[in-house]
Amino acid sequence: MSNHFYVTTPIYYVNDKPHIGHAYTTILADVLARYHRLLDVPTWFLTGTDEHGQKVQEAAVKNGMTPQEQCDTTVVRFQELWQKLEITHDDFIRTTEERHKTIVRKALQDLYDRGEIYGADYEGWYCTPCERFFMEKDLAEGGVCPDCKRAVNKLVEKNYFFRMGKYQQWLVEHIESHPEFIQPAHRRQETLGFLRQPLNDLCISRPKSRLSWGIELPFDANYVTYVWFDALMNYVTAVGYGADNGTFAKWWPASYHLIGKDILTTHTVYWPTMLKALGVELPRSIFAHGWWLVGRDKMSKTAGNAVNPMQMCEQYGVDAFRYFLLAEMSLGNDASFTEEAFTNRYNSDLANDLGNLGKRVISMVHRFLGGKFSAVVKPGPEEAELEKMTTIAVDSMKKHLASMQLERGIADALAAVREGNRYFDKMAPWALAKQGKTEELQRVLYSSAECLRIVSGLLYPVMPGKMAELRRALGLEGAEVEPHLETLGAWGGLPVGRALTDVPPLFPRIEKPEESPEAKKAAAEAAKAAKSAKKAEQTKASAPAIVELIEITDFTKVSLKTAKILAAEPVPDADKLLKLQIEIGAEKRQIVSGIAKFYTPEQLVGRTVVVVANLKPVVLRGVESQGMLLAAKAGKELRLVTLDGDLPSGAGVG
Ligand code: MSP
């Protein structure tokens, strides 16, 4: 662990109210900051708002306000949401603050004086919504904006440029020699791909005649600076760059800039080159997460499908909302938000698993042990599995925190809870009470409570409110309520002789309204689509550089189905091939597969596998094959893709 942890979110535009995309990045940063604080790592967490530029100016006009009024009104919505979501940022920077503007001007002047910024006539195409100029060659097919695909306008004007192009080779080398600099790996490839084209200088000015809402260039009062030059600087101006060297040295370089995948180029190309020109060290890592989709659709104001985080918190509670966002999104990939997915995860993980264990343990301690434990109990052979699972959970959380795979750490914490429930059922403390086996009863309840203490500690940064409640209910007091991650896993941490409090259910089940068949069908389709989207993203995630990335539409062309193997036999004169008779739902088919060296016919019959169901038939060694079996291969090993539970044949896979 490094000696400091400085994490940032993007600063949000104040042209509109926040949605779950904004909430997600901020919660993620909050959870990372909280974990690091619990590891005693000096931590600084910065968020804020991006208040200049076209978008904000336009919103102000639309709302009949001055731009500053637009900022002052909208910033409150972000600040209130962060309060509601229990975000523990150390600083909130607004780019209209003097502390920021002064330093941006200073940096601009410095770059201008050193010839890093120069004036020139510029002819190009301008995309108003993206606020970006493009050269003719950069436009997408049909002469539209390569980013948003909307129409662009031709412009010739004097502007100021930052000599970004000259840093191209240096940047490529930096990215290649610092694998952690851009994460996850497929985003690094994306930036390197972008850098295979010649890198132009960056236009960093906007004539005031077109856009007046910005920081004035210190060397030409007819211009304001480009909003991205202004915005990116927040990461350093907020921690004392150019103003307070001690503070700056304490926090810079940032450990993580968390961003959404749509602002990758600005962060991984513009920002590092700006820093290089300023002579400032680069951040350690830029982590781009995926998008929250609604079902399979992009969230947007026009579609009217944006999820309102405030409303979700009011309906289901802050902690459950935080938990869902972090547990559901595999960091780096897209994820799908539906109320259905939310309810399912809430009911299974929080109500049935965690809440249920909490309720059962605490109520039985009241019923059978007079509301307190009388001695610390050492785990015996019966507790070996439970202890193992909690140890795995602690190690996993630490490991996945470092590798930015929080969802995996969370999944292992939940696996420990499920083991807790299994242990509890197996040991049946109610029966031990009936039989008067007091010592065993103490052991079972104490051990189950230990599992809860450890898991509640692991999930504390994710659900600070509910986990504090649970920990207090278990008898932890004062400073003990906050877990210490280094010592959390040591068995026996629960103090004895403290009264456990009976708490109302932590996560009451969400009862789903009866659904119409149409609604059910639509939900199933949405879930299927989301699953395929996730899978396609995951495929992308593990794709090495040379593999071309595909669109989801490419992936959905492939029909994957579960199939049951009814019979298998060798193909004569072909020692690698087996002829399989399979069943895909009601349909019977024959497949020839090159797996004879890895499976005998006997091993295959009766198994449910996954097949590509829409391949054109081919004839192999004189035998027709009507599909393909999926298998994974590593070196000399081959394993069939099978299901981890029972499903009938003919089920869609995606
Ligand atoms: N102001 C710039 C960032 C400047 S940082 C120096 C900006 N602001 S934004 O408000 O439009 O977006 C902020 C972040 O929200 C971006 O990282 C963007 O990717 C993220 N999201 C917006 N919609 C999103 C989803 N639907 N899902 C996840 N995050 C998304 O860009």
Side-chain angles (χ1 to χ4, degrees):
M1 205 61 66
S2 95
N3 60 355
H4 79 266
F5 185 74
Y6 172 29
V7 64
T8 67
T9 71
I11 48 172
Y12 304 105
Y13 286 128
V14 283
N15 56 339
D16 205 358
K17 60 178 192 264
H19 60 61
I20 79 163
H22 307 127
Y24 174 71
T25 324
T26 312
I27 293 171
L28 175 63
D30 184 58
V31 170
L32 292 174
R34 284 174 183 264
Y35 274 122
H36 283 85
R37 290 187 197 116
L38 295 180
L39 285 163
D40 286 338
V41 177
T43 296
W44 196 254
F45 166 16
L46 173 71
T47 189
T49 39
D50 190 352
E51 305 198 347
H52 291 123
Q54 194 96 24
K55 281 190 179 46
V56 176
Q57 182 168 295
E58 277 168 8
V61 171
K62 197 178 118 216
N63 297 326
M65 295 175 176
T66 66
Q68 191 62 56
E69 281 166 356
Q70 168 72 28
C71 297
D72 294 346
T73 320
T74 315
V75 71
V76 178
R77 307 190 73 158
F78 283 90
Q79 287 166 335
E80 280 174 357
L81 180 63
W82 301 158
Q83 204 173 354
K84 177 89 183 171
L85 289 171
E86 298 188 32
I87 301 299
T88 56
H89 48 284
D90 296 290
D91 193 5
F92 187 105
I93 188 158
R94 300 180 57 184
T95 52
T96 49
E97 284 174 82
E98 215 41 65
R99 63 166 170 160
H100 174 76
K101 292 194 291 191
T102 313
I103 303 300
V104 172
R105 277 192 214 106
K106 227 166 121 175
L108 285 164
Q109 187 67 54
D110 170 33
L111 293 178
Y112 185 69
D113 292 346
R114 291 192 288 111
E116 296 279 349
I117 288 177
Y118 62 94
D121 265 346
Y122 185 77
E123 182 180 313
W125 296 89
Y126 187 67
C127 173
T128 310
C130 296
E131 298 184 26
R132 285 180 64 186
F133 279 98
F134 296 98
M135 307 294 279
E136 179 108 26
K137 68 175 177 46
D138 295 327
L139 297 179
E141 220 183 297
V144 294
C145 170
D147 271 2
C148 71
K149 310 282 186 287
R150 281 179 275 206
V152 289
N153 303 315
K154 191 164 194 171
L155 277 178
V156 182
E157 62 190 19
K158 181 184 175 191
N159 263 305
Y160 289 91
F161 296 84
F162 161 52
R163 293 191 194 279
M164 184 163 75
K166 72 174 186 182
Y167 294 111
Q168 177 163 14
Q169 195 45 37
W170 161 82
L171 181 58
V172 169
E173 279 161 23
H174 183 85
I175 295 171
E176 282 175 344
S177 58
H178 295 80
E180 76 292 348
F181 181 56
I182 305 174
Q183 295 180 44
H186 60 289
R187 298 290 170 218
R188 181 167 67 248
Q189 296 307 340
E190 202 175 313
T191 300
L192 286 171
F194 176 84
L195 288 169
R196 277 196 273 276
Q197 310 296 322
L199 183 63
N200 297 324
D201 288 348
L202 180 68
C203 177
I204 54 96
S205 61
R206 299 291 179 263
K208 275 192 186 166
S209 53
R210 201 146 43 76
L211 172 72
S212 59
W213 185 235
I215 300 178
E216 192 179 286
L217 293 185
F219 43 83
D220 192 335
N222 293 318
Y223 292 83
V224 295
T225 191
Y226 172 41
V227 69
W228 272 102
F229 189 96
D230 166 356
L232 288 161
M233 287 291 292
N234 93 89
Y235 299 133
V236 291
T237 60
V239 287
Y241 172 66
D244 175 353
N245 291 343
T247 305
F248 189 58
K250 181 165 182 199
W251 299 116
W252 193 259
S255 314
Y256 279 108
H257 288 322
L258 303 179
I259 59 166
K261 64 180 183 181
D262 55 317
I263 53 175
L264 187 71
T265 310
T266 48
H267 280 79
T268 60
V269 179
Y270 298 4
W271 182 224
T273 51
M274 281 166 63
L275 287 169
K276 175 73 178 164
L278 287 167
V280 176
E281 209 180 321
L282 301 197
R284 196 185 72 85
S285 187
I286 295 154
F287 190 99
H289 63 70
W291 279 74
W292 277 98
L293 306 174
V294 175
R296 73 189 303 184
D297 302 324
K298 201 173 156 177
M299 223 186 318
S300 77
K301 221 168 35 171
T302 24
N305 61 355
V307 180
N308 179 344
M310 211 45 141
Q311 197 186 324
M312 286 301 294
C313 290
E314 262 142 35
Q315 204 167 342
Y316 301 111
V318 175
D319 293 272
F321 180 61
R322 289 172 61 111
Y323 177 81
F324 175 80
L325 292 186
L326 286 195
E328 188 75 9
M329 185 176 259
S330 145
L331 256 176
N333 300 322
D334 285 351
S336 163
F337 190 98
T338 58
E339 293 246 0
E340 171 91 4
F342 182 90
T343 311
N344 287 346
R345 191 178 268 282
Y346 175 99
N347 279 344
S348 76
D349 291 7
L350 299 182
N352 291 2
D353 294 339
L354 183 55
N356 187 32
L357 186 63
K359 184 172 126 229
R360 296 203 292 172
V361 171
I362 292 166
S363 72
M364 286 203 196
V365 172
H366 280 286
R367 242 165 79 204
F368 303 129
L369 301 180
K372 56 178 88 152
F373 296 113
S374 51
V376 171
V377 188
K378 289 219 158 45
E382 297 280 20
E383 287 72 37
E385 189 62 20
L386 185 64
E387 201 191 2
K388 188 178 114 197
M389 292 299 279
T390 54
T391 309
I392 290 177
V394 174
D395 293 347
S396 160
M397 190 59 91
K398 281 198 228 155
K399 185 174 110 196
H400 290 122
L401 178 64
S403 64
M404 288 292 267
Q405 293 171 302
L406 279 180
E407 73 286 353
R408 296 204 187 179
I410 294 172
D412 284 332
L414 259 289
V417 173
R418 279 190 283 276
E419 179 54 34
N421 275 314
R422 243 192 316 271
Y423 166 81
F424 196 85
D425 289 338
K426 186 179 83 186
M427 303 306 282
W430 53 94
L432 297 173
K434 229 181 194 169
Q435 295 154 14
K437 294 183 175 167
T438 334
E439 213 172 291
E440 273 177 88
L441 181 63
Q442 277 273 356
R443 185 160 58 84
V444 172
L445 292 179
Y446 186 87
S447 304
S448 308
E450 268 295 276
C451 170
L452 280 169
R453 176 188 65 78
I454 294 169
V455 169
S456 63
L458 291 177
L459 296 178
Y460 191 89
V462 181
M463 297 187 283
K466 290 286 179 186
M467 292 306 96
E469 226 179 282
L470 175 57
R471 292 169 70 78
R472 276 193 209 97
L474 291 170
L476 296 166
E477 292 169 355
E480 297 162 351
V481 174
E482 276 215 343
H484 193 272
L485 283 190
E486 290 298 354
T487 53
L488 181 72
W491 201 265
L494 206 55
V496 294
R498 304 259 182 87
L500 270 63
T501 40
D502 220 351
V503 286
L506 284 175
F507 302 105
R509 250 189 98 74
I510 304 172
E511 295 307 335
K512 291 191 228 175
E514 263 320 302
E515 285 173 340
S516 66
E518 291 79 1
K520 269 190 186 158
K521 196 166 157 236
E525 271 167 14
K528 194 175 156 201
K531 237 175 142 185
S532 339
K534 192 167 174 183
K535 198 157 170 202
E537 274 285 337
Q538 275 161 357
T539 316
K540 263 192 192 178
S542 56
I546 45 164
V547 174
E548 197 192 332
L549 301 182
I550 62 165
E551 296 292 338
I552 180 68
T553 44
D554 295 321
F555 176 76
T556 47
K557 282 184 199 150
V558 182
S559 164
L560 297 174
K561 291 271 163 77
T562 58
K564 192 163 176 195
I565 302 178
L566 304 174
E569 59 179 300
V571 174
D573 300 318
D575 58 355
K576 287 187 183 153
L577 299 182
L578 286 180
K579 183 166 82 177
L580 310 172
Q581 305 304 326
I582 60 163
E583 169 203 79
I584 307 177
E587 193 191 337
K588 302 264 190 309
R589 285 205 203 172
Q590 173 174 288
I591 282 186
V592 177
S593 181
I595 54 171
K597 292 244 180 287
F598 307 94
Y599 290 92
T600 63
E602 293 72 31
Q603 286 175 314
L604 293 171
V605 175
R607 294 183 82 157
T608 302
V609 292
V610 177
V611 297
V612 180
N614 60 343
L615 266 191
K616 287 186 185 144
V618 287
V619 176
L620 297 167
R621 298 287 176 114
V623 186
E624 189 178 21
S625 180
Q626 303 154 331
M628 188 176 101
L629 215 75
L630 292 195
K633 196 155 189 243
K636 290 189 173 148
E637 294 269 344
L638 179 138
R639 293 274 181 276
L640 285 177
V641 174
T642 54
L643 306 185
D644 77 342
D646 273 341
L647 266 190
S649 75
V653 179

